[in-house]
Amino acid sequence: MRNSDLYSRACQVIPGGVNSPVRAFQGVGGTPVFMKRGEGCHVYDSENKRYTDYVLSWGPLVLGHAYPSVVESIIQTARLGTSFGAPTELEVELAELLVNQFESIDRIRFVNSGTEATMSALRLARAYTQRDKIIKFSGNYHGHADMLLAQAGSGLATLSMSSSAGVPEKSVQDTLVAPYNNLDVVRELFSAYPGQIAGIIVEPVAGNMGLVLPKPEFLTGLKSLCEQHGALLMMDEVMTGFRAALPGAQTYFGVDADITCLGKVIGGGLPVAAYGGKRKIMEQVAPLGPMYQAGTLSGNPLGMAAGLATVRALLKPGVFESAAARCEQLVLGIREMAAQKKIPVQASSMGTMFGLYFLKEPGEISNYEDAKKLVDSERYSKFFHKMLELGHYFAPSAFEAGFVSAAHTEKDIHETLDAVCQALL
Ligand code: KE4
């Protein structure tokens, strides 16, 4: 069935024809592509057109599509039943694996989405500190929980919505917003609200306004401000976990979070996310402590199996490193060609994730305010559609990060760079 026919069918029964706004191509125009099959670094749409995939389900597929050991593990597990609503050995295994990976985590709770993980992290910080206010950063996206939909990134940035309808003012009155990479404003907020701020939630590498790296000292500065004021530092590593670095961006920058949110890669393409931290904090969580959080399918066997197979394969020597090398090769190639054509871009990468901004004029983007001012979304849309026509699937939004998998070969990157050369107009 043609994409356009599927799309009109979808629009009859699903709002906007999609189950997540950013998939609707509103940020780039045109009809969304309906995917039918994935294999390695390629996806095939409903018209059987092949694309080299740089969205990879927005991060989870760090090994590529339909990775054999992941598929096999899901099949074997499904044969034993799909869900019990009771503890299973699989969730203990994945919990042990993640606790061993993260210095800052000795207890972890699984949930089903990044939204649930960050929503629970905020509740935990508030329970632990007995305070209400939270600091977040404009352009950071932490899922769609009411109190976090203030000046968020990702789909809200794509649709240039500052927050969302249906979120009562009182739900965001305790959410304080600062510009990313700006420690002064954070310092001012702590002085303005002494003893009232439960914590800071931050994307340690911002992947929801495009890709913005933290300035040196930004994360260490946040950590020391939290220590100084008795607040908790929550790092939302839903996207950066097992993507920016192994096991996460906090490891690379040497700044331990008090609470870490994970997702995407740890579910290997199935709905799995988690929040974790030191025992003294996590003991607040029911049934041990007074902070309630629950989920019918939390720790679901299929998700645990897919997550275990994915993380285990990724941790094998050289797997992450080769994906990161391919990612860097892509970004360096784009930078070089844009320079040759005198097209102002900001192309950057960290580990297996990358960002590509087309700029209205030469400049540097280090926060969301810069991005809104400098990004040439029109030029990105043209680039996106040309690349799509040539068989390379980039994020359908100028305000998203891109991803590379262990299945991308040098040949794939070279082919993509050949297409980039034609699409850099
Ligand atoms: P989910 O609720 O979508 O599983 O996770 C929310 C979330 C939390 N934290 C970070 C850092 C995230 O990047 C996300 C979700 N990422 C977007 C892509 N930028 C998901 C894509 C979508 O919304 O369809």
Side-chain angles (χ1 to χ4, degrees):
M1 199 163 203
R2 297 188 58 75
N3 287 316
S4 50
D5 298 337
L6 269 175
Y7 186 49
S8 11
R9 256 178 72 192
C11 288
Q12 301 308 311
V13 286
I14 302 171
V18 292
N19 284 302
S20 199
V22 74
R23 304 176 190 172
F25 276 28
Q26 283 193 1
V28 289
T31 303
V33 174
F34 281 65
M35 297 304 180
K36 180 173 71 176
R37 179 167 76 87
E39 187 181 344
C41 70
H42 298 114
V43 275
Y44 299 80
D45 71 11
S46 60
E47 297 165 16
N48 228 11
K49 178 172 174 149
R50 189 190 87 158
Y51 304 91
T52 305
D53 188 4
Y54 292 97
V55 177
L56 293 166
S57 181
W58 301 100
L61 304 175
V62 68
L63 301 174
H65 291 272
Y67 193 81
S69 67
V70 176
V71 174
E72 194 46 38
S73 179
I74 294 169
I75 291 170
Q76 294 308 328
T77 305
R79 287 213 172 97
L80 301 172
T82 54
S83 179
F84 305 99
T88 66
E89 185 178 359
L90 280 172
E91 58 205 280
V92 179
E93 279 184 67
L94 185 54
E96 287 168 342
L97 176 55
L98 297 175
V99 163
N100 291 337
Q101 283 294 311
F102 282 88
E103 189 53 44
S104 63
I105 301 177
D106 22 272
R107 294 289 186 280
I108 192 164
R109 167 63 63 84
F110 290 113
V111 293
N112 299 289
S113 71
T115 296
E116 269 192 275
T118 57
M119 179 173 77
S120 308
L122 258 59
R123 188 179 308 144
L124 175 56
R126 287 167 161 164
Y128 184 77
T129 61
Q130 305 283 304
R131 299 175 182 177
D132 294 341
K133 294 203 183 303
I134 294 286
I135 295 174
K136 78 173 286 287
F137 296 92
S138 50
N140 275 196
Y141 176 71
H142 305 291
H144 62 88
D146 276 2
M147 64 282 196
L148 283 166
L149 280 181
Q151 296 182 53
S154 184
L156 288 150
T158 302
L159 308 178
S160 65
M161 295 161 75
S162 73
S163 65
S164 163
V167 175
E169 197 39 50
K170 57 179 180 297
S171 305
V172 287
Q173 69 190 19
D174 288 323
T175 306
L176 309 170
V177 185
Y180 194 74
N181 273 320
N182 187 321
L183 282 174
D184 292 341
V185 171
V186 177
R187 214 170 273 115
E188 286 158 22
L189 289 171
F190 273 114
S191 316
Y193 300 96
Q196 301 172 52
I197 295 173
I200 297 173
I201 186 164
V202 66
E203 289 185 57
V205 173
N208 284 290
M209 51 173 130
L211 186 84
V212 174
L213 299 172
K215 285 198 173 135
E217 312 313 314
F218 178 57
L219 298 175
T220 43
L222 294 181
K223 177 82 176 178
S224 52
L225 282 167
C226 283
E227 284 166 344
Q228 199 184 319
H229 295 278
L232 297 186
L233 179 58
M234 294 169 273
M235 284 202 197
D236 178 351
E237 297 232 42
V238 166
M239 182 189 284
T240 54
F242 297 99
R243 270 275 175 202
L246 287 181
Q250 62 186 276
T251 327
Y252 177 87
F253 292 110
V255 181
D256 278 357
D258 294 308
I259 302 174
T260 298
C261 300
L262 296 169
K264 297 182 192 269
V265 167
I266 69 165
L270 269 66
V272 176
Y275 63 100
K278 288 296 183 200
R279 183 175 174 176
K280 64 176 175 8
I281 297 173
M282 294 300 288
E283 283 181 339
Q284 291 287 320
V285 180
L288 266 188
M291 175 239 151
Y292 193 71
Q293 175 269 312
T296 304
L297 295 175
S298 297
N300 176 270
L302 301 191
M304 298 295 104
L308 276 164
T310 299
V311 175
R312 281 174 176 155
L314 183 67
L315 291 174
K316 288 206 172 85
V319 176
F320 180 86
E321 292 72 12
S322 92
R326 294 292 76 73
C327 188
E328 190 181 26
Q329 185 187 359
L330 176 71
V331 165
L332 292 178
I334 293 174
R335 247 189 238 153
E336 209 175 293
M337 277 186 270
Q340 276 164 14
K341 297 183 172 224
K342 301 201 180 342
I343 297 173
V345 299
Q346 178 171 312
S348 49
S349 69
M350 181 160 175
T352 64
M353 51 197 281
F354 69 91
L356 171 58
Y357 287 121
F358 287 88
L359 306 178
K360 288 174 185 152
E361 63 200 37
E364 193 213 333
I365 293 175
S366 60
N367 62 34
Y368 186 44
E369 291 65 29
D370 297 342
K372 283 191 289 186
K373 210 166 42 206
L374 281 172
V375 166
D376 184 343
S377 307
E378 199 44 49
R379 196 164 207 169
Y380 181 81
S381 307
K382 289 197 181 79
F383 171 81
F384 170 82
H385 281 290
K386 186 66 184 164
M387 291 300 284
L388 200 65
E389 179 197 313
L390 295 169
H392 305 267
Y393 188 60
F394 276 58
S397 158
F399 296 97
E400 291 286 358
F403 303 93
V404 174
S405 78
H408 284 77
T409 63
E410 288 217 50
K411 179 172 173 292
D412 297 307
I413 300 298
H414 283 312
E415 284 171 4
T416 298
L417 287 172
D418 288 346
V420 167
C421 195
Q422 298 173 59
L424 278 180
L425 306 165

